[in-house]
Amino acid sequence: MPRDTKQEGGQLSNFILPIVELPDRIHPRYLRSTKPGSSLLSLKWPRPPRNLLVVQKLYSETVTDAVVKFAKHIHNEYPDIHLILEPRVASSIQERVDFPVYSSDDRPYIAQKVDVIATFGGDGTVLRAASLFKLHGSVPPIVSFSMGTLGFLGEWDFQEHKKVWREVYMSGSDVAVRDAAVPRGNKDSPEEQDGGSNPWALIKGKSMGAQRASKVLLRHRIKADIFDANGDNINDKLSDNLLGDSKSLAGPLAGTSPSLRAINEISVHRGSHPHLAIIDIFQNGHFLTETIADGILLSTPTGSTAYSLSAGGPIVHPLVKSLLITPISPCSLSFRSLVLPLDTKVTLRMSKKNRGRELDLSIDGKRCAGVSPGTELRVEGEFVGRSHDGSGEEWAGGVPCVIRTEDDDPWVGGLNGLLKFNHPFGRATEGED
């Protein structure tokens, strides 16, 4: 359990605490929406979340100011929540608040401690948050505030942070409306007197009701395993970062080499070498083609509007269970992007025709390692669907992103607002002068 800070010389000591001291993670449930025709899921907490990880855009005073404001609001209105910050920003944020925070420098404990994630920035910030769990099959729900250059994954403006966070925090609560109107910290309330049996009842305002919940989109990920020319799995040898994470995994994955997961894409590129990359592609064990190109992309539907789109790939809705193969500047004009079922097993083998040179392997835009001739990259989609609990209502897998309802479809808004989909040249968009 988190320890209390002590007063020394009129000031608090131990302002930045280790994440290992936090209580264990609370896993929410994702239930099929009761709304007819809805493709989104409902977020339901078994009890209020306690550990909140904040991931922010770096080197931006505007974003830092917003994070400080958000942190103070959480501390004042939700005192049972512990704020977790990235090590590189923890000190600068804590200097501007008068309460302790936790640091996520103990990377192996992130998957065991974080209940929910809030991001402040653009799409890159969301990807960075998801990448913290690239070695783990379960990702906490992500609430994204759009404060970056590109906002295709960002859902809300920061001005909405109080309302949005309250809806996420109360999501699925079975507190009755009349019970939820008790001001926080009222010692005379029945909830306080009975030992706080229902902590939701101590939050200001009114409950959303048991039938109202935040909506979640489970974004598909792809997972990869890397094998050297001898057929040995080398996931834990790709880089110092991956080695550090995999060595300290706990639970059923201990002693194994966990798959590497991407929410956008996995790419193999020739890098700074002047010669093109030569890669053999296999589909479900069958040879598909040999490509000679700058590189190759294996993308998710979410990643279809990222690097893959710039390389000429199609736009795929995030709910379509699929895997994309897109070449990067291929020699052949007939090599077009392919859209395959999500459970397709794709193997990329680095051809020996590459003459001993390494190719760059990147996951969600971050270089992991160089892969030499004979190395195989085996990729398939991560399972996303109904869990096998017999009810058929609970879902699992993927990256759970808290989004707006179907009445305000962010995917359509992103196509029209950000990508200017089918926008004629020389004509102003609707609403512009």
Side-chain angles (χ1 to χ4, degrees), residues 210-340:
Q211 301 303 317
R212 295 182 59 194
S214 293
K215 300 305 178 184
V216 169
L217 170 64
L218 292 180
R219 294 186 178 274
H220 302 107
R221 292 192 295 181
I222 51 178
K223 58 182 182 179
D225 292 290
I226 320 300
F227 296 83
D228 62 18
N230 296 321
D232 297 325
N233 187 300
I234 57 172
N235 289 358
D236 60 349
K237 300 178 182 178
L238 293 182
S239 69
D240 292 339
N241 289 337
L242 294 180
L243 179 60
D245 285 344
S246 61
K247 282 172 58 179
S248 44
L249 283 173
L253 291 179
T256 67
S257 298
S259 299
L260 315 177
R261 294 168 171 84
I263 186 176
N264 255 9
E265 76 275 314
I266 297 172
S267 68
V268 178
H269 195 275
R270 66 184 176 94
S272 60
H273 294 288
H275 301 291
L276 296 178
I278 306 175
I279 303 170
D280 295 327
I281 305 176
F282 297 81
Q283 176 193 358
N284 291 330
H286 301 287
F287 177 73
L288 179 63
T289 189
E290 176 192 75
T291 180
I292 302 176
D294 279 352
I296 198 80
L297 295 168
L298 300 178
S299 307
T300 65
T302 296
S304 70
T305 52
Y307 196 172
S308 177
L309 182 63
S310 298
I315 298 175
V316 181
H317 193 281
L319 286 174
V320 178
K321 296 183 179 182
S322 56
L323 167 68
L324 286 71
I325 302 178
T326 304
I328 306 172
S329 303
C331 280
S332 173
L333 295 178
S334 62
F335 190 173
R336 294 292 182 253
S337 182
L338 299 175
V339 180
L340 305 173

Side-chain angles (χ1 to χ4, degrees), residues 102-119:
Y102 292 80
S103 172
S104 61
D105 53 353
D106 293 321
R107 293 284 296 276
Y109 289 99
I110 286 183
Q112 303 171 20
K113 301 296 183 179
V114 175
D115 298 333
V116 60
I117 304 171
T119 67

Side-chain angles (χ1 to χ4, degrees), residues 1 99 165 214:
M1 295 297 293
F99 52 85
W165 172 252
S214 293

